[in-house]
Amino acid sequence: MTEATTLAAAAADRDPRTGLRAVAALRRLLEQLERAQVRHARQAGWSWQEIATELGVTRQAVHKKHAGS
């Protein structure tokens, strides 16, 4: 089982402490994955608008969040 799969299963746990901790860990993992993919897209020559479209956010939002990455 991968880390994401394990965390997703734990997020559905009936114990709120277990579930909430798993949700927080998934959030951190998703942020790491997003940073990596944005970096890859920029290295591949993608515009901020192209990245924003794929993420379903505005160009300004993705630029503000990742411009320093």
Side-chain angles (χ1 to χ4, degrees), residues 11 13 18 24 31 44 49:
D13 196 284
T18 300
E31 288 297 322
Q49 183 60 58

Side-chain angles (χ1 to χ4, degrees), residues 14-67:
R14 294 199 40 88
D15 176 2
R17 181 169 283 112
T18 300
L20 291 169
R21 285 179 180 168
V23 167
L26 281 166
R27 188 177 293 127
R28 288 188 299 272
L29 178 59
L30 285 172
E31 288 297 322
Q32 291 171 0
L33 292 170
E34 182 177 315
R35 276 192 306 275
Q37 289 302 329
V38 169
R39 188 171 49 251
H40 292 282
R42 292 295 292 162
Q43 289 170 348
W46 284 38
S47 70
W48 289 112
Q49 183 60 58
E50 289 173 302
I51 296 166
T53 298
E54 295 305 317
L55 290 174
V57 299
T58 66
R59 178 188 56 79
Q60 293 87 348
V62 76
H63 184 264
K64 180 178 179 181
K65 185 174 181 179
H66 295 288

